[in-house]
Amino acid sequence: MIPGFVETHIHLDKSCILERCGPQQGTLEAAIAAVAAAKRAFTEPDIYARAQRTLEKAIVQGTTRMRTHVEVDPRVGLRSFEAVRALARDYAWAIDLEICVFPQEGLTNDPGTEELLVEACTRGADVIGGCPYTDSDPFTQIARIFAIAQRFDLDIDLHLDFDLDPSWMHLEEVCRQTQAHRWGGRVAIGHVTKLSAIAPASVATIARRLADAGVAVTVLPATDLFLMGRAHEHHVPRGVAPVHRLVRHGVTCSLATNNVLNPFTPFGDCSLIRMANLYANVAHLGAMADLSSCLDLVTTLPARLMNLADYGIAVGHPADLVVLDSRDRALAVAELAQPLAGFKRGRRSFTRAPAVLHRPG
Ligand SMILES: [Zn+2]
């Protein structure tokens, strides 16, 4: 029994659009461009229906808490935000869904975007996000996001350092601003794939910096494996940040799904036990203790990242319970143990029948 999986980083609003995006080049830039074109035609009922399909998959995979990133800009306006907000209300019986609004295509270079983000925060967005790598002025974007966070008293969750060039990073500026604003423990950064291109001794130094500043890290193995290393035709780098090394230095970390059935990641069953297994496989983790800690990366650690004070099986907490078909934490990751049933605040929210063998005779 676990208190449910915790998904810190998923894009419900742009899930399930694979069929309308055409053939894919497989690069980050092409994925952003394809979705930028597609989202102009998004309507609230269309966004709701696709997000609902993805959210229901996550629920039956045992996820009880979720933070979804939602794009806000002059092309899509607040349609995605409003559709996902309605979805969060309609599925509150099964999952706690937190909305992080963010400017996927840049902030300072995209007039009107900041006003829309502020309007979303006024209407009740839970978290403010960012994407400095698509901005013509990344440091100013980071500063503007911190200003919005302070104004509305929100946690911050940024897409950051999403390539394999270790010669420059935005990570240090985020740590600096986190400390300057005394926002430690309230800032997360996602992807940070550059860390996969840096030697362990330097990663250790960066990890201590992150831990000191109170900046958490989310790694998105499916997307990072799919989009990174495209310049290589053989001996392809994996491009997944070594999150288990960061954890050893006290960094709060999570593994998350990110994208489902779109040009960023044309896969997705929303299973976080699969993500834990995928990470263990990619990171060469095989010892029982290491496999067990991969379960922490989709349960207790992401709950800490999201500052969920009432997560965990304990007196006084809501009875969020998920039954995994396993007798051991490490084996659950090794065997991709499937959830058999889930309860949200004490009420049964889903069941999955175990497979049955039909022997002859
Ligand atoms: Zn993302």
Side-chain angles (χ1 to χ4, degrees):
M1 187 95 80
I2 61 169
F5 294 110
V6 182
E7 172 76 76
T8 66
H9 190 132
I10 190 168
H11 296 262
L12 296 177
D13 58 329
K14 57 184 175 188
S15 67
C16 308
I17 57 168
L18 204 52
E19 298 92 334
R20 48 179 109 162
C21 287
Q24 297 308 311
Q25 296 171 29
T27 64
L28 174 60
E29 295 72 23
I32 292 172
V35 175
K39 75 180 168 191
R40 290 171 184 273
F42 286 3
T43 63
E44 280 189 38
D46 164 50
I47 298 159
Y48 186 99
R50 290 182 292 97
Q52 178 181 32
R53 180 178 158 198
T54 305
L55 187 68
E56 287 188 0
K57 280 203 281 193
I59 292 166
V60 299
Q61 295 287 5
T63 300
T64 52
R65 317 264 186 140
M66 175 184 282
R67 172 181 292 175
T68 185
H69 288 255
V70 170
E71 294 189 17
V72 168
D73 59 42
R75 267 79 58 206
V76 76
L78 295 173
R79 298 195 297 281
S80 293
F81 172 71
E82 288 298 342
V84 173
R85 196 157 68 131
L87 188 72
R89 280 194 296 266
D90 294 348
Y91 281 82
W93 55 270
I95 191 164
D96 296 323
L97 179 56
E98 194 172 86
I99 300 178
C100 173
V101 289
F102 86 110
Q104 171 72 76
E105 295 168 52
L107 183 67
T108 68
N109 51 301
D110 200 358
T113 300
E114 183 162 351
E115 290 78 0
L116 285 165
L117 285 169
V118 166
E119 176 60 22
C121 294
T122 304
R123 294 189 196 180
D126 302 289
V127 179
I128 182 76
C131 196
Y133 67 77
T134 57
D135 205 300
S136 51
D137 186 352
F139 282 22
T140 300
Q141 177 181 133
I142 294 168
R144 296 307 306 154
I145 295 302
F146 270 91
I148 295 172
Q150 276 198 311
R151 177 173 164 192
F152 291 93
D153 191 25
L154 300 177
D155 290 1
I156 295 172
D157 200 328
L158 305 166
H159 291 72
L160 210 81
D161 290 338
F162 191 16
D163 60 58
L164 301 183
D165 177 2
S167 67
W168 61 272
M169 299 189 87
H170 291 150
L171 182 150
E172 173 52 34
E173 176 65 8
V174 171
C175 290
R176 193 188 68 74
Q177 295 220 22
T178 299
Q179 289 183 312
H181 291 90
R182 299 180 189 279
W183 227 246
R186 303 191 68 181
V187 179
I189 54 178
H191 295 293
V192 208
T193 49
K194 286 175 185 286
L195 293 175
S196 73
I198 296 174
S202 301
V203 168
T205 304
I206 293 168
R208 287 192 289 273
R209 177 78 178 111
L210 290 164
D212 286 347
V215 174
V217 173
T218 295
V219 169
L220 308 153
T223 303
D224 297 345
L225 281 166
F226 186 70
L227 292 180
M228 294 294 99
R230 290 283 174 160
H232 300 253
E233 287 188 327
H234 69 288
H235 218 191
V236 182
R238 299 179 180 206
V240 176
V243 69
H244 62 290
R245 295 208 173 106
L246 304 182
V247 169
R248 287 175 198 153
H249 291 283
V251 185
T252 299
C253 296
S254 68
L255 297 170
T257 300
N258 198 31
N259 279 290
V260 176
L261 302 178
N262 73 16
F264 292 88
T265 318
F267 320 119
D269 55 1
C270 305
S271 165
L272 283 171
I273 196 78
R274 184 173 69 84
M275 219 43 72
N277 175 283
L278 178 62
Y279 180 78
N281 206 156
V282 168
H284 293 164
L285 299 176
M288 292 292 271
D290 288 339
L291 292 174
S292 178
S293 48
C294 285
L295 194 65
D296 297 335
L297 286 164
V298 289
T299 53
T300 50
L301 289 173
R304 190 184 304 163
L305 182 150
M306 289 174 65
N307 291 308
L308 302 175
D310 64 352
Y311 177 82
I313 301 173
V315 174
H317 289 185
D320 293 356
L321 306 166
V322 169
V323 183
L324 293 180
D325 188 12
S326 185
R327 60 181 169 80
D328 179 273
R329 291 168 47 84
L331 286 176
V333 173
E335 298 181 293
L336 290 96
Q338 295 304 299
L340 297 179
F343 299 81
K344 186 65 181 167
R345 288 181 283 277
R347 179 190 168 279
R348 187 165 64 172
S349 50
F350 75 91
T351 54
R352 289 161 68 104
V356 176
L357 273 181
H358 298 283
R359 300 182 191 281

